[in-house]
Amino acid sequence: MQPPLPHDTSAHAKAAQLRRLVQSPELSFLMEAHNGLSAKIVEEAGFAGVWASGLSISAALGVRDANEASWTQVLEALEFMSDATRIPILVDGDTGYGNFNTMRRLVRKLEQRGIAGVCIEDKIFPKTNSFIRGTTQPLADIDEFAGRIKAGKDAQTIDAFVIVARVEAFIAGWGLAEALKRAEAYRQAGADAILIHTAKSFPDELLAFQREWGGRLPVVIVPTKCYATPTQVFREAGFSVVIWANHTMRSSISAMQQTARRIFRDQSLMAIEDRVAPLAEVFRLQGAEELAEAERRYLPGSPVRAVILGAARGPEFGEVTRDRPKCMVPLAGEPILSHIVRTYRAAGIRDLAVVRGYRREVIDLDGLEYFDNEEPETTHEAYSLSRAIPALEGPVLISYGDVLFRKYVVQQLMDVDADFAVMIDANWRESRNRDRYADFASCSLPFSRTTSFSEVELAEVSNELSPDRIHGEWMGFLKASSRGCTVLRTLLAEVAEDPEKKAHLDMGGLMNALIARGERIRVIYTTGNWLDVDSVDDLLASGEFA
């Protein structure tokens, strides 16, 4: 779940934050963003505010920065950006998208979406980007543009909402005197700050304006072309805000071009998978954990949850699990874990948690809660389960991340009215595990067609049972009721504190410990319809489950 908001994120509060940044004697920085994802990344990077760049939003939409995207389309992008962030957004509002009337409506709509301020430039609608034939672009009439500012200030209902007047006199080649004249007119019209812009690669025009301006209003700059100028120069000159205007967009273009070319050339993902953000990071930025928590709170359905143990590497797989845990080995184009999750959900269980361990960052499926065993190489299954103690609020189904099964297995366990219940495969003599380690079960009664599962209890789980004592193979499922979870949490807390148990106690040993404490574990017999994927041969045999 997302952390609680550290401060008020209302439209009024965001506008007040931006106004403080603009009016502060300390130099502040705004970073460009163009959609909800990039805005969230800007916030997490530490910036105090976002510059919603018209160039970048247009580029993201695949159109030119010449008002080819309508202002309502821009407004839609801004709404996603505002919803995704808790810091103020200053919008590149181009010319105000028309005259005084469109400016009034723009301000009202920006306020409704929690946008903190807008910057408009003194050009004629439709505008052209300042770096494209800037000296040939006509500027707006001073009085008409001042009217746009006045209209915007009169339309705002949030006192702190910020309107920045962008002066394009240097871009158009009209010089310092014209820049000062226009800035003063806009100040008198009610602008909260002046943005002075230059197309030159050195900051002389900006510094000259700042000296002559004399601090009549805060001055904002966009030093895109002056990238070689040390930021300390701007700080010492007394500028209010520096805007890094288009760099998340430009860097994303480079990354996407490289990735697309490499995949096209290689016809494979092998070379780029380690160079791109993992899906888990995408889901985190999207707030997947919050949605999973909300589903648990609001969706109707089964109250049963499942905890899947996926911490093991699976050394039997050799190089296949060198860079991934066993549960993420691909089966029919998807990780084994994906098939398990799908079966659980088909059975009506949506509340799913996974205990990760070896290469835990690789487990990145959407909609799951994660717990981590930080010591997977030196601990065993019971300790891994102890990491998920917060999820053990019954009823709970516990299973392995390498056991495929049919959904009826889950449904039968859900129907059992017992503190603990397990599934036992009575057809153990045909098991693929017979010649290797297997969790064989000794029960109070052998399987028969007339045996009621309410009569059978688990007596022991062990790989060392003599054949005459074996009644079946434990399939890797343990159901615990609410009371059973209370017992289980106490036992697992002891495991976590006992170095011997922490290192050696598996799930079979955990069940034996429950039995030794007087707990009754109900047995449901079945035959087949599950598969322990414990080797490459098992993987090859698992097609029917895909």
Side-chain angles (χ1 to χ4, degrees):
M1 188 168 60
Q2 292 176 324
L5 301 183
H7 48 252
D8 187 357
T9 57
S10 67
H12 288 268
K14 286 184 173 181
Q17 291 175 51
L18 179 61
R19 182 168 290 271
R20 285 194 295 271
L21 289 176
V22 170
Q23 294 179 343
S24 171
E26 300 295 326
L27 185 64
S28 299
F29 301 89
L30 303 183
M31 184 69 192
E32 170 263 324
H34 46 277
N35 55 26
L37 183 66
S38 58
K40 191 169 187 67
I41 289 170
V42 165
E43 179 179 22
E44 290 190 349
F47 285 95
V50 172
W51 168 250
S53 163
L55 167 62
S56 296
I57 292 173
S58 298
L61 294 173
V63 297
R64 289 174 286 249
D65 184 24
N67 294 126
E68 292 184 359
S70 71
W71 74 272
T72 55
Q73 289 172 318
V74 173
L75 197 66
E76 183 175 5
L78 293 172
E79 184 170 5
F80 281 103
M81 293 169 67
S82 180
D83 288 346
T85 54
R86 296 169 288 190
I87 56 176
I89 297 173
L90 175 63
V91 176
D92 178 2
D94 291 341
T95 64
Y97 305 102
N99 63 8
F100 77 93
N101 194 40
T102 54
M103 181 64 179
R104 291 191 299 182
R105 185 163 176 78
L106 174 65
V107 169
R108 288 195 295 268
K109 292 303 177 183
L110 291 176
E111 287 183 331
Q112 289 170 10
R113 285 156 178 79
I115 303 301
V118 63
C119 176
I120 60 171
E121 56 192 270
D122 54 356
K123 288 181 181 175
I124 296 173
F125 179 85
K127 54 80 56 103
T128 302
N129 187 276
S130 298
F131 297 136
I132 302 176
R133 299 182 302 278
T135 56
T136 66
Q137 297 181 26
L139 299 185
D141 176 80
I142 292 178
D143 293 334
E144 188 276 331
F145 187 75
R148 288 184 231 172
I149 296 171
K150 289 178 182 178
K153 295 304 293 182
D154 288 344
Q156 71 184 63
T157 59
I158 297 174
D159 291 341
F161 187 85
V162 174
I163 294 181
V164 178
R166 175 166 156 174
V167 177
E168 293 283 284
F170 288 142
I171 297 294
W174 290 16
L176 177 59
E178 182 69 17
L180 291 166
K181 176 183 176 182
R182 286 175 173 267
E184 177 57 24
Y186 306 155
R187 182 188 71 82
Q188 292 184 21
D192 299 297
I194 300 296
L195 190 154
I196 190 69
H197 204 16
T198 182
K200 295 183 178 179
S201 59
F202 44 88
D204 293 14
E205 289 181 330
L206 304 178
L207 298 173
F209 177 89
Q210 179 71 341
R211 285 193 298 270
E212 295 298 324
W213 180 243
R216 282 173 268 177
L217 275 181
V219 177
V220 179
I221 59 171
V222 187
T224 301
K225 294 290 187 177
C226 304
Y227 59 83
T229 302
T231 302
Q232 186 61 23
V233 172
F234 303 136
R235 184 175 282 109
E236 292 174 355
F239 291 112
S240 174
V241 175
V242 167
I243 294 174
W244 311 119
N246 45 52
H247 296 82
T248 65
M249 179 269 293
R250 288 162 59 191
S251 62
S252 67
I253 288 175
S254 297
M256 286 190 289
Q257 288 172 332
Q258 292 172 12
T259 298
R261 288 170 185 158
R262 187 63 185 267
I263 294 175
F264 179 79
R265 186 186 73 193
D266 295 352
Q267 297 184 1
S268 169
L269 303 178
M270 288 292 291
I272 61 94
E273 184 59 33
D274 289 341
R275 301 183 182 184
V276 298
L279 284 173
E281 177 64 4
V282 178
F283 300 146
R284 185 190 70 79
L285 289 166
Q286 291 175 315
E289 289 188 8
E290 190 279 333
L291 177 59
E293 176 64 27
E295 287 178 343
R296 287 191 286 271
R297 187 179 302 117
Y298 301 123
L299 282 180
S302 169
V304 180
R305 66 172 56 179
V307 175
I308 304 167
L309 300 179
R313 171 182 176 176
E316 302 86 356
F317 282 89
E319 282 298 299
V320 175
T321 55
R322 180 179 59 82
D323 60 353
R324 74 192 79 190
K326 188 197 304 188
C327 67
M328 294 302 286
V329 169
L331 167 62
E334 293 184 282
I336 294 171
L337 182 59
S338 293
H339 295 278
I340 293 171
V341 168
R342 185 179 300 113
T343 305
Y344 268 124
R345 287 175 173 163
I349 296 180
R350 290 182 291 267
D351 191 349
L352 302 170
V354 176
V355 181
R356 304 180 296 187
Y358 177 76
R359 293 302 301 268
R360 57 185 178 276
E361 73 280 358
V362 177
I363 303 180
D364 58 0
L365 304 187
D366 191 13
L368 305 179
E369 185 176 12
Y370 291 111
F371 298 91
D372 290 334
N373 178 354
E374 305 286 351
E375 309 168 70
E377 305 291 347
T378 58
T379 59
H380 217 328
E381 296 164 351
Y383 178 73
S384 285
L385 182 59
S386 76
R387 301 301 84 198
I389 282 178
L392 298 179
E393 295 286 346
V396 170
L397 286 174
I398 300 161
S399 69
Y400 290 125
D402 60 353
V403 172
L404 300 171
F405 54 94
R406 301 300 186 197
K407 69 177 182 180
Y408 86 86
V409 172
V410 172
Q411 291 167 337
Q412 282 193 293
L413 281 168
M414 289 167 61
D415 290 340
V416 177
D417 183 17
D419 288 331
F420 296 100
V422 293
M423 296 289 291
I424 301 297
D425 186 354
N427 197 23
W428 64 274
R429 296 182 187 277
E430 306 299 323
S431 171
R432 296 175 57 85
N433 295 333
R434 191 176 176 189
D435 296 326
R436 64 190 183 198
Y437 184 92
D439 291 306
F440 293 123
S442 179
C443 304
S444 60
L445 290 172
F447 170 75
S448 74
R449 297 297 178 185
T450 60
T451 300
S452 167
F453 72 82
S454 63
E455 302 171 352
V456 184
E457 294 180 10
L458 185 66
E460 184 181 359
V461 176
S462 174
N463 187 47
E464 299 178 354
L465 292 176
S466 59
D468 63 305
R469 295 186 59 210
I470 297 176
H471 296 117
E473 182 180 358
W474 180 56
M475 295 165 52
F477 295 88
L478 173 65
K479 180 200 172 180
S481 68
S482 294
R483 178 193 168 274
C485 281
T486 300
V487 174
L488 201 53
R489 289 195 302 270
T490 300
L491 180 54
L492 289 171
E494 295 173 10
V495 170
E497 296 298 322
D498 185 326
E500 181 68 18
K501 293 177 180 178
K502 181 176 175 180
H504 300 292
L505 193 66
D506 61 8
M507 286 297 296
L510 185 69
M511 290 186 290
N512 291 334
L514 288 170
I515 294 168
R517 296 186 180 207
E519 298 297 328
R520 301 171 64 187
I521 301 179
R522 188 76 55 79
V523 168
I524 302 175
Y525 279 120
T526 187
T527 54
N529 288 307
W530 69 290
L531 180 65
D532 182 2
V533 185
D534 208 30
S535 68
V536 174
D537 288 341
D538 291 336
L539 196 63
L540 296 174
S542 61
E544 64 177 293
F545 284 93

